[in-house]
Amino acid sequence: MRTNPKALTGLVALGFFALMAVVGPWLAPFDPSERSSALLQPPSAEHWFGTTHLGQDIFSQVLAGTRSVVLVGAIAGVVATVLSVLVGVTAGYLSGSAGEGLSALSNVFLVIPALPLIVIITSSLPETSNLTIALVIGLTSWAWNARVLRAQTLSLRRRDYVEAARANGESAWRIILFEIMPNLTAVIASGFVGTVLFAVVSEITLAFIGVSDAGGWNWGTVLYWAQSQQALAQGAWWWFVPAGLAIALLGTALSLVNFGIDEYVNPRLRNRFSMPGVRMRVGFTPVLPQDPKLAQKLETS
Amino acid sequence: MKERILEVRGLNVDYGAGPGSVRAVRDVDLTLHRGEVLGLAGESGSGKSTLAYGMTRLLPPPGVVASGEVLYHLQDGTTVDLLRIRDAELRRLRWSEIAIVFQGAINSLNPVQRISTQLVDVIKAHSPKTSPRARQDRARELLELVGIAADRLHSYPHQLSGGMRQRVMIAMALALDPRVVVMDEPTTALDVVVQRQILRTLVDLRERLGFSVVFITHDLSLLVEFSDRIAIMYAGQVVEEAASADLYRSPLHPYSDGLLRSFPALKGEKRELTGIPGSPPDLRSMPAGCAFHPRCPRALDVCGDRVPLLGQSRDGRSVACWLHPVAVG
Amino acid sequence: MSYLLKRFGFYLLTAWAAVTINFFVPRMIPGDPVQALITKQRGQMTSESVRSLYVLFGLDKDESLASQYFSYLGQLLRGDLGLSFTFFPTPVAEVIGDGLPWTVGLVGITTVIGFLLGTAAGAVVGWRRGTWADSLIPVTTFVSSIPYFWLGLVAIALLTGPGSFFPASGAYAIGLVPNWDWQFIGSTVQHALLPAFTILVSSVSGWILSMRNMMVTVSSDDYVTVAHAKGLPERRVMLAYAARNALLPNVSGFALALGFIVGGTLLVEIVFSYPGLGLQLFQAVGAKDYPLLQGIFLIITLSVLLANLLADVAYLALDPRTRREG
């Protein structure tokens, strides 16, 4: 990880968001729901991100909303990852109709449009809270990773050392836990990060169309009020810009971490031997300059 | 002496550039004459393929040519350095002058295009004025040349057997009547019978068409049978070069001797099959002195201190070994 | 052909799964939404429509679960999706019928264009690896992390307003009656430009990234090196050898990702008040219009399945290895 600046940048940014999730609500200068007489004010020294039509402080809303976003992302990520490992690894390890059945099940969940499904389930629930939203997202978004894990397990199962363990009569559980799972770590990690990203965007999208934790704040609720109060028509750009940027930054951080994992898994994506003046190209191998001075500079650089 | 066609001078090839790079081909000199078959032999990792792809500038990243010259003598008497010419020029010379049969034909063919397309596009690229009709006829002719029925022309690669695919690659290599054909382990993935059939076809074709061949393999017994001259590579260096009959009769370098004892000879006297103990050195931490000395059954004290260089004796034998007085260092 | 048949069977299975989910989900709804509606409409409902809603919600307590399920299936097969609460007493099928053409026109076309553009751009960026093109990656990563609907909000804030060419909402100018004259078509295109642009910008970047990675992976395959060794023009090596093969996983990725993409693009309709399924979904959530919600979910799923089938046909045409000739 030390050698991968992309992943490192992503991890640092993630750490920042996680910290905000813990301390954000205390750091917030105002109660995010508290009304004041400063209606629809642009950003100022007192209200860094301006105020809403009710005089609420948007900076406090974004800050306090981080907790719900990170929480839902993490819970949904864990639920979906556990499910995908259970379904994917089992489907890959079992041969015959049981494996095929599990694989068909994950393909079915993959093809059914996730967001509309989440919308009909959450809006039919008696009550929506961060927990129920996170659970619904987690229970509906495991299929992609299950598919990837199944393919990986299938190829691992045919490796010599796994065949040897089976021939030795080791139990399926031992083989899965000690021979297969360690080789899936990177794939599972990448799947977790991807699901967290999907869960975060889904939660915000749900909040934006009006399904959210009653009384709580997240970045999507900020945008919901901005949209329903016609912030755009009133020129209140500060109402929706900060929340949107926060989503994009969190999303970028998660994507960067996943790039790092991808490059770890697929060495062809790595760019280890980059150096100024030499462009690595397929089909035309670079020839180092023959000028002795330049060549020496390259040797020592 | 025969006319020279391709000369490699002081070639160094690295993996990676700058700090952390590894030298995979070290100071190689090699000459290919007109119409001859030059064999390159060595264990895997000895740098023989890296040499072949480095000199044609086809080595994939992170390969880098660090220094040297690759002189190609054109038919009109002019000479070009393949490492210094512009991309467009190199592209023009590729395949029309130097064609390559790659290791593993399974991956050499584009899986989503018909054989005909892949045979025709190289003709079209190099002689755009030919008619589509003429190109198709040429493709048909090429397939028949390597013993494939012309009705296979419109097949996809996955519809052909491994042997057929390799024949298609050979046919493709001959499409533009090149003067040099580089073959990198052209038959390793195939069974012995098919292997010999294909090599027979090749030898016949070379006699008819008169191209020169650089033949790379780890199987020295194949080279003894099919090549005129052999260069033995170890850890990125050429350690011995000789006419194949001489090398077979009296290998000078202990490594050549070991290689000869690794494969059963198909004719001539039988040798004891002993192989070579140990494995090739890690290119990132080469031993001091001769790279082979840790594995050498006849190593001297000097072998661990000083690197022997390739030198030539009066009878035309070249070897890089302290056991033989031709070696200088 | 057996490949397509197998896929078709799978889509049937998926459609059945979606229908079954739709049957069970409404049982979680608290209370009796139909009774609430009847009270609200003060007996204006026919007994037939009340019955159809009861089947939809599984409120018919006298029947066994199995017979409820079969009467629900039968109702669906007749195209009866119940009555919409918001647009009472219009049947859900009719409401969706109004919205579907707009969604197919906007979301369908732009999703395909976005895939084609992104794949083309990704092929170039992947091919030019190690040059300035690499600097595009952080930008596309950032853009692909932005939710579609937020980009729509920004587009409205920056590009619409008094005197702007781009309208901020709707699918055609107020006062026009939908028909096939030039004035109406022109107005439709004018209204679709900005939402389409929003969807394009956010979807293109994802395809650029995935196609780039496929190009980088494929570029070190042997047949690409062979193509270089053959001295083919660079364009031909890039298109006929590298991109042609990198396209295959991207097409199957497109089919698999459709279910995810559709969700995001539908939201753009909300921001632009574009009268498609996305906007109807938004209204249905706000009004707790369960029959409409369920209907929209079913129709979206079926559309995605159909699009998947088309992607399969495309894949079949692109990869000779999936074709079994004799």
Side-chain angles (χ1 to χ4, degrees):
Chain A
M1 279 296 170
R2 240 181 321 138
T3 48
N4 194 322
K6 278 184 210 160
L8 195 67
T9 317
L11 281 176
V12 168
L14 280 189
F16 171 76
F17 280 109
L19 185 70
M20 282 306 117
V22 178
V23 301
W26 299 317
L27 281 186
F30 296 89
D31 176 348
S33 306
E34 187 189 67
R35 303 177 182 199
S36 74
S37 53
L39 303 181
L40 214 59
Q41 294 297 304
S44 62
E46 198 190 354
H47 301 285
W48 289 7
F49 292 169
T51 59
T52 70
H53 67 301
L54 298 174
Q56 297 154 323
D57 181 50
I58 294 172
F59 179 62
S60 302
Q61 292 180 344
V62 171
L63 215 50
T66 313
R67 181 176 286 179
S68 156
V69 171
V70 171
L71 211 60
V72 169
I75 296 174
V78 169
V79 170
T81 304
V82 169
L83 272 176
S84 67
V85 170
L86 284 179
V87 175
V89 175
T90 319
Y93 192 81
L94 292 180
S95 47
S97 52
E100 290 292 319
L102 283 176
S103 150
L105 179 73
S106 38
N107 282 339
V108 164
F109 267 90
L110 196 57
V111 175
I112 293 180
L115 194 70
L117 177 62
I118 295 172
V119 168
I120 67 158
I121 296 179
T122 46
S123 49
S124 301
L125 287 175
E127 57 167 334
T128 49
S129 64
N130 281 333
L131 187 66
T132 53
I133 289 173
L135 285 179
V136 171
I137 296 175
L139 290 174
T140 50
S141 58
W142 49 270
W144 181 278
N145 298 328
R147 192 185 149 89
V148 176
L149 283 170
R150 171 175 175 267
Q152 284 287 320
T153 310
L154 268 177
S155 82
L156 285 173
R157 202 174 62 127
R158 296 194 196 102
R159 300 270 168 91
D160 292 342
Y161 62 91
V162 178
E163 296 284 8
R166 286 217 298 202
N168 281 342
E170 283 195 39
S171 75
W173 279 114
R174 264 196 75 84
I175 296 175
I176 289 180
L177 274 181
F178 295 104
E179 311 285 354
I180 292 182
M181 287 292 275
N183 289 297
L184 293 176
T185 325
V187 183
I188 295 174
S190 143
F192 174 74
V193 175
T195 315
V196 170
L197 179 56
F198 175 75
V200 164
V201 172
S202 298
E203 184 207 3
I204 288 162
T205 306
L206 281 180
F208 180 70
I209 61 175
V211 181
S212 63
D213 188 83
W217 285 96
N218 72 48
W219 302 336
T221 7
V222 177
L223 295 174
Y224 170 80
W225 287 110
Q227 166 80 357
S228 59
Q229 294 305 318
Q230 311 264 312
L232 288 173
Q234 304 186 49
W237 54 269
W238 59 88
W239 204 343
F240 62 86
V241 167
L245 283 181
I247 300 165
L249 283 178
L250 178 57
T252 307
L254 289 164
S255 307
L256 284 175
V257 172
N258 246 357
F259 284 168
I261 301 174
D262 280 351
E263 287 177 8
Y264 173 78
V265 177
N266 183 356
R268 285 182 183 186
L269 296 176
R270 246 175 274 170
N271 213 355
R272 283 176 304 167
F273 294 98
S274 64
M275 72 183 287
V278 182
R279 187 193 154 202
M280 292 292 180
R281 262 171 98 188
V282 173
F284 291 86
T285 312
V287 179
L288 294 186
Q290 294 305 298
D291 176 16
K293 262 193 241 156
L294 242 170
Q296 197 174 18
K297 222 171 104 189
L298 289 174
E299 295 271 328
T300 51
S301 69
Chain B
M1 191 146 215
K2 283 213 254 169
E3 190 187 331
R4 295 166 169 202
I5 187 160
L6 185 69
E7 292 177 76
V8 176
R9 295 278 166 260
L11 188 68
N12 285 297
V13 181
D14 293 352
Y15 283 108
S21 67
V22 169
R23 184 138 296 180
V25 167
R26 200 174 287 270
D27 212 15
V28 165
D29 292 302
L30 217 55
T31 304
L32 178 69
H33 298 99
R34 187 152 177 197
E36 93 178 327
V37 178
L38 171 66
L40 271 181
E43 294 163 287
S44 54
S46 61
K48 50 193 194 310
S49 299
T50 308
L51 168 62
Y53 295 130
M55 73 185 191
T56 48
R57 290 192 61 201
L58 285 168
L59 195 64
V64 170
V65 177
S67 61
E69 287 178 333
V70 178
L71 304 176
Y72 185 78
H73 303 287
L74 288 156
Q75 219 144 14
D76 61 6
T78 56
T79 299
V80 291
D81 181 353
L82 296 183
L83 303 181
R84 305 286 178 281
I85 51 177
R86 283 177 298 115
D87 287 357
E89 176 90 349
L90 182 59
R91 211 174 266 133
R92 203 173 57 74
L93 292 183
R94 279 178 172 174
W95 223 256
S96 63
E97 298 287 338
I98 304 177
I100 302 172
V101 178
F102 287 81
Q103 197 170 354
I106 302 101
N107 303 322
S108 294
L109 286 163
N110 185 349
V112 297
Q113 283 185 340
R114 294 176 197 276
I115 303 299
S116 53
T117 318
Q118 300 185 54
L119 280 169
V120 160
D121 69 354
V122 66
I123 305 173
K124 193 178 169 188
H126 288 273
S127 27
K129 289 200 186 107
T130 49
S131 72
R133 175 91 229 155
R135 284 181 221 138
Q136 284 287 334
D137 288 346
R138 174 70 177 150
R140 217 173 291 270
E141 185 186 313
L142 284 165
L143 282 191
E144 276 163 4
L145 202 60
V146 294
I148 296 181
D151 62 354
R152 288 299 198 155
L153 195 58
H154 297 292
S155 304
Y156 284 100
H158 72 275
Q159 296 166 323
L160 303 179
S161 69
M164 276 211 251
R165 276 181 247 178
Q166 195 57 288
R167 283 170 186 273
V168 167
M169 287 315 292
I170 292 171
M172 198 182 292
L174 302 178
L176 305 174
D177 286 322
R179 291 165 73 221
V180 176
V181 177
V182 178
M183 310 225 187
D184 180 17
E185 307 263 11
T187 55
T188 27
L190 307 173
D191 66 69
V192 184
V193 179
V194 181
Q195 202 172 9
R196 301 252 152 208
Q197 280 174 358
I198 289 182
L199 288 178
R200 276 283 144 238
T201 317
L202 253 172
V203 170
D204 292 346
L205 286 172
R206 183 185 67 102
E207 260 150 38
R208 255 201 284 165
L209 305 172
F211 49 85
S212 316
V213 176
V214 178
F215 186 4
I216 301 164
T217 178
H218 63 281
D219 186 346
L220 195 50
S221 65
L222 274 185
L223 282 188
V224 170
E225 194 178 340
F226 290 103
S227 59
D228 303 317
R229 234 150 29 85
I230 297 177
I232 307 281
M233 288 192 74
Y234 186 75
Q237 280 169 296
V238 174
V239 293
E240 181 168 5
E241 193 190 327
S244 53
D246 292 344
L247 189 98
Y248 184 67
R249 209 177 316 116
S250 58
L252 295 182
H253 201 286
Y255 179 64
S256 315
D257 190 43
L259 273 186
L260 279 170
R261 291 178 190 282
S262 305
F263 296 94
L266 286 171
K267 52 189 175 190
E269 59 170 304
K270 297 276 182 278
R271 275 170 223 264
E272 198 191 341
L273 284 179
T274 49
I276 311 167
S279 50
D282 181 357
L283 292 172
R284 274 162 298 191
S285 55
M286 292 270 280
C290 171
F292 187 60
H293 88 268
R295 299 171 73 189
C296 184
R298 299 163 65 192
L300 309 168
D301 286 346
V302 63
C303 297
D305 296 336
R306 293 167 62 203
V307 182
L309 297 181
L310 196 68
Q312 203 171 40
S313 73
R314 268 150 295 165
D315 54 355
R317 299 283 300 262
S318 303
V319 66
C321 178
W322 292 117
L323 291 168
H324 301 282
V326 291
V328 287
Chain C
M1 263 304 110
S2 73
Y3 170 78
L4 269 190
L5 271 180
K6 221 173 129 187
R7 299 299 297 166
F8 192 73
F10 166 71
Y11 295 133
L12 277 184
L13 174 75
T14 311
W16 169 78
V19 166
T20 308
I21 291 174
N22 234 349
F23 172 72
F24 282 106
V25 163
R27 290 158 184 280
M28 302 184 301
I29 302 168
D32 184 341
V34 180
Q35 199 54 54
L37 182 75
I38 295 169
T39 323
K40 200 172 125 201
Q41 298 298 335
R42 290 161 208 240
Q44 284 176 26
M45 292 171 76
T46 63
S47 58
E48 195 195 335
S49 54
V50 171
R51 152 117 199 106
S52 124
L53 283 173
Y54 266 99
V55 170
L56 201 60
F57 287 104
L59 288 170
D60 206 336
K61 297 288 184 263
D62 302 334
E63 278 188 76
S64 73
L65 196 65
S67 79
Q68 284 178 27
Y69 185 61
F70 284 110
S71 40
Y72 170 71
L73 285 186
Q75 197 168 306
L76 275 190
L77 283 179
R78 271 176 273 121
D80 182 359
L81 297 171
L83 299 182
S84 164
F85 289 4
T86 15
F87 303 98
F88 193 84
T90 319
V92 166
E94 217 170 282
V95 176
I96 292 177
D98 288 343
L100 191 61
W102 295 109
T103 297
V104 171
L106 179 70
V107 175
I109 293 174
T110 46
T111 305
V112 172
I113 295 178
F115 171 73
L116 296 177
L117 276 181
T119 303
V124 175
V125 173
W127 188 249
R128 300 247 172 276
R129 186 193 191 195
T131 64
W132 58 269
D134 283 355
S135 58
L136 282 176
I137 299 165
V139 180
T140 46
T141 308
F142 182 74
V143 172
S144 64
S145 309
I146 301 173
Y148 290 51
F149 66 87
W150 188 73
L151 210 64
L153 290 172
V154 173
I156 292 175
L158 293 180
L159 297 176
T160 65
S164 166
F165 171 76
F166 297 110
S169 70
Y172 47 87
I174 298 157
L176 287 182
V177 180
N179 60 33
W180 286 107
D181 68 17
W182 284 115
Q183 192 193 6
F184 181 73
I185 292 173
S187 174
T188 308
V189 171
Q190 191 185 6
H191 280 74
L193 280 177
L194 212 50
F197 177 75
T198 306
I199 297 174
L200 275 184
V201 169
S202 16
S203 62
V204 152
S205 44
W207 297 122
I208 291 181
L209 287 175
S210 71
M211 185 64 177
R212 176 205 175 257
N213 280 0
M214 282 324 301
M215 278 298 273
V216 169
T217 308
V218 163
S219 289
S220 37
D221 276 347
D222 283 349
Y223 51 82
V224 176
T225 309
V226 172
H228 278 298
K230 282 159 82 175
L232 301 181
E234 181 156 8
R235 266 177 68 92
R236 173 133 185 111
V237 182
M238 172 184 157
L239 295 176
Y241 286 76
R244 182 66 176 67
N245 280 284
L247 185 62
L248 295 175
N250 226 33
V251 168
S252 39
F254 176 72
L256 290 176
L258 265 179
F260 288 99
I261 302 170
V262 163
T265 43
L266 285 177
L267 280 251
V268 174
E269 291 184 357
I270 302 174
V271 176
F272 286 95
S273 307
Y274 201 82
L277 296 184
L279 188 64
Q280 290 177 345
L281 185 77
F282 178 62
Q283 291 163 336
V285 168
K288 298 233 173 277
D289 186 347
Y290 300 113
L292 186 54
L293 270 177
Q294 291 180 51
I296 291 172
F297 168 69
L298 262 192
I299 294 301
I300 293 173
T301 306
L302 292 182
S303 317
V304 167
L305 292 184
L306 188 68
N308 256 282
L309 197 62
L310 294 179
D312 282 340
V313 173
Y315 194 91
L316 201 66
L318 286 172
D319 189 351
R321 284 163 296 186
T322 50
R323 269 173 268 166
R324 288 272 168 266
E325 296 157 354

